[in-house]
Amino acid sequence: MMSKNEKASWVKAYNWIKEGIDSCALKMGEPLPETFIANETGVSRTPVREALRVLEQDGYIKIVPLKGAFVSEISLEDVREIYDIRKLLEPFAALSAANRIPDSEIKEMSAEWERLSKRAENGEEIDFSTVADCDLKLHFTIAKYATNRRIGAILMSYHVQIKRFQRLSAQSLADIRNSIEQHIIILNCIKRRDPKALHACLYDHVVNSEGYIMKDYFLR
């Protein structure tokens, strides 16, 4: 059985690597030598190996026998397949979720996006990860309150890839402003309890998100 110190050590290594990948400080395909990670995190190589094993299960990295660990890459086919699933499932989930999301959660999310909107209008620097986290929260809230619970489970199973895609799709202030505006429109549809409008604007949003990634990372 793993001791508390051992668990704390591999969690520390796990979080360091995960944050590096999420923030794009660790690039796709970049090698992850155990010794380097151990030195950076101040833990031994044993918990580093455990962290790498869990990260591979979570889809963040790929371990190649005799070669080591590498940050997993996002391919053009990955984007197409994941977004095909999102375009089908998320708007469908919205039809039943529109009238089921609690007012308190709508209010909380609206406040978060309005704060981001004001910061963007003032020209403040906004961390891409903040936008991605708020984006993920809104999309998963819609999925969570859909009457078909399997939809939420399917989308959650792709949470790592979706989160990385969302971070890739907002890499400039112009992109962030556009993303904020789209999410406020989505929330306004939820506030009105308008399933058809929510279905339409959510579909358009997912299509736009896919387009940003295709343009910025695969078609340049």
Side-chain angles (χ1 to χ4, degrees):
M1 186 175 178
M2 187 179 296
S3 68
K4 288 185 179 180
N5 287 338
E6 288 173 329
K7 183 176 181 179
S9 294
W10 83 255
V11 169
K12 181 180 180 181
Y14 175 97
N15 288 335
W16 184 87
I17 300 167
K18 177 177 175 293
E19 178 55 34
I21 295 172
D22 282 344
S23 66
C24 298
L26 296 172
K27 307 299 183 184
M28 290 186 284
E30 186 171 336
L32 298 167
E34 291 179 5
T35 302
F36 169 74
I37 297 169
N39 290 336
E40 289 293 317
T41 58
V43 304
S44 67
R45 293 178 64 179
T46 298
V48 169
R49 291 193 193 101
E50 177 63 16
L52 292 172
R53 183 188 68 78
V54 178
L55 284 160
E56 184 178 38
Q57 291 178 349
D58 290 347
Y60 278 95
I61 73 166
K62 181 178 181 180
I63 298 176
V64 181
L66 304 179
K67 292 186 178 181
F70 300 83
V71 178
S72 61
E73 299 194 38
I74 298 174
S75 69
L76 177 61
E77 194 63 28
D78 289 331
V79 173
R80 285 175 173 164
E81 289 182 358
I82 296 295
Y83 273 90
D84 281 347
I85 291 171
R86 292 190 67 190
K87 284 181 284 190
L88 287 170
L89 295 186
E90 290 193 42
F92 179 76
L95 291 173
S96 60
N99 291 305
R100 291 165 53 88
I101 301 173
D103 289 336
S104 59
E105 294 192 34
I106 298 171
K107 184 177 180 180
E108 179 182 335
M109 291 186 292
S110 294
E112 290 172 348
W113 285 105
E114 290 295 341
R115 283 194 294 270
L116 287 174
S117 180
K118 288 180 181 178
R119 290 177 59 192
E121 287 176 6
N122 293 332
E124 292 183 35
E125 183 176 348
I126 301 174
D127 184 24
F128 301 135
S129 64
T130 301
V131 178
D133 289 343
C134 289
D135 183 305
L136 203 66
K137 179 179 179 179
L138 174 54
H139 287 276
F140 280 171
T141 297
I142 293 171
K144 181 174 70 173
Y145 286 101
T147 53
N148 188 326
R149 296 182 181 180
R150 286 180 172 81
I151 289 177
I154 292 169
L155 292 172
M156 283 295 291
S157 70
Y158 292 111
H159 76 282
V160 170
Q161 294 93 328
I162 290 172
K163 190 172 184 178
R164 292 178 71 187
F165 292 160
Q166 287 166 335
R167 288 175 185 268
L168 292 176
S169 68
Q171 294 293 339
S172 71
L173 184 56
D175 288 339
I176 286 175
R177 284 174 175 162
N178 188 284
S179 179
I180 291 170
E181 182 180 349
Q182 289 181 41
H183 286 88
I184 290 175
I185 291 172
I186 291 170
L187 280 162
N188 286 337
C189 292
I190 298 174
K191 287 178 183 177
R192 296 197 308 270
R193 304 297 186 180
D194 189 336
K196 290 184 179 179
L198 180 58
H199 179 283
C201 68
L202 191 58
Y203 179 85
D204 289 343
H205 169 66
V206 175
V207 169
N208 288 335
S209 178
E210 180 184 23
Y212 294 148
I213 296 172
M214 296 288 285
K215 174 175 64 70
D216 291 343
Y217 287 87
F218 297 102
L219 302 179
R220 59 185 176 178

